[in-house]
Amino acid sequence: MSVRNVIHPTTGVGRAIRPKKLSPKFIGSYQILRKIGPVAYELSLPPQLSNLHPVFHVSQLRKYIADPYHILKLEDIRLCQDRTLEMQPVRVEDSNTKYYKGKAVRLVKVAWDEKTGDSTWEVEDAMKDLYPHLFEPQS
């Protein structure tokens, strides 16, 4: 059987992954075990994804295009029981002040993933409470 990239996290009931603000397009390349119907496939999922149902609609799959220089590395993805993915911030890239109803709100641009460059604007106070190590001076 062929190998496909799987799990489009924002489609279907009971989403596979629901990170707070970041949503990877696809995760992993998994082998197709069998075709269930005209639009459904059963996949061979690793143990880390054992809490997911192994049958996926074709809209959640993309064909893997072989590249002789592409070496597949299986990432160790740990999903919580409620099928969420805990992301850890990498660094603070920028800061800005916005005004909301006459009050100044400090925002910081937080990088979440080195490989993809995913980043979001977050409230500085909330990020300082959750991740104080990001705001410590570098020596």
Side-chain angles (χ1 to χ4, degrees):
M1 292 274 174
S2 66
V3 176
R4 293 192 178 225
N5 287 331
V6 67
I7 307 177
H8 190 281
T10 59
T11 59
V13 177
R15 295 176 180 167
I17 298 177
R18 292 179 298 185
K20 286 185 179 181
K21 290 190 176 186
L22 301 176
S23 181
K25 291 255 186 208
F26 293 93
I27 59 170
S29 295
Y30 304 105
Q31 183 178 11
I32 295 174
L33 296 177
R34 64 187 173 118
K35 186 174 180 178
I36 303 294
V39 293
Y41 290 90
E42 182 179 2
L43 302 174
S44 172
L45 297 177
Q48 306 92 289
L49 299 176
S50 63
N51 60 343
L52 293 181
H53 193 273
V55 178
F56 294 89
H57 189 271
V58 292
S59 66
Q60 295 177 302
L61 305 174
R62 293 291 180 262
K63 184 176 181 181
Y64 173 71
I65 299 171
D67 181 357
Y69 298 105
H70 185 211
I71 299 171
L72 295 178
K73 291 182 182 177
L74 181 62
E75 291 185 33
D76 190 21
I77 299 171
R78 300 279 182 210
L79 294 180
C80 301
Q81 284 298 100
D82 61 353
R83 296 182 178 164
T84 57
L85 176 66
E86 181 68 33
M87 301 288 290
Q88 294 296 319
V90 178
R91 68 181 174 278
V92 174
E93 295 181 332
D94 197 4
S95 63
N96 198 355
T97 303
K98 294 283 182 180
Y99 293 91
Y100 179 72
K101 294 186 179 181
K103 292 184 180 180
V105 178
R106 293 280 301 157
L107 300 173
V108 290
K109 187 175 183 181
V110 179
W112 294 92
D113 191 346
E114 284 289 340
K115 292 184 278 186
T116 62
D118 288 336
S119 59
T120 58
W121 286 95
E122 304 288 341
V123 177
E124 184 180 52
D125 292 337
M127 293 304 291
K128 279 185 178 180
D129 290 342
L130 293 171
Y131 308 104
H133 65 277
L134 292 175
F135 298 92
E136 293 173 356
Q138 301 294 334
S139 27

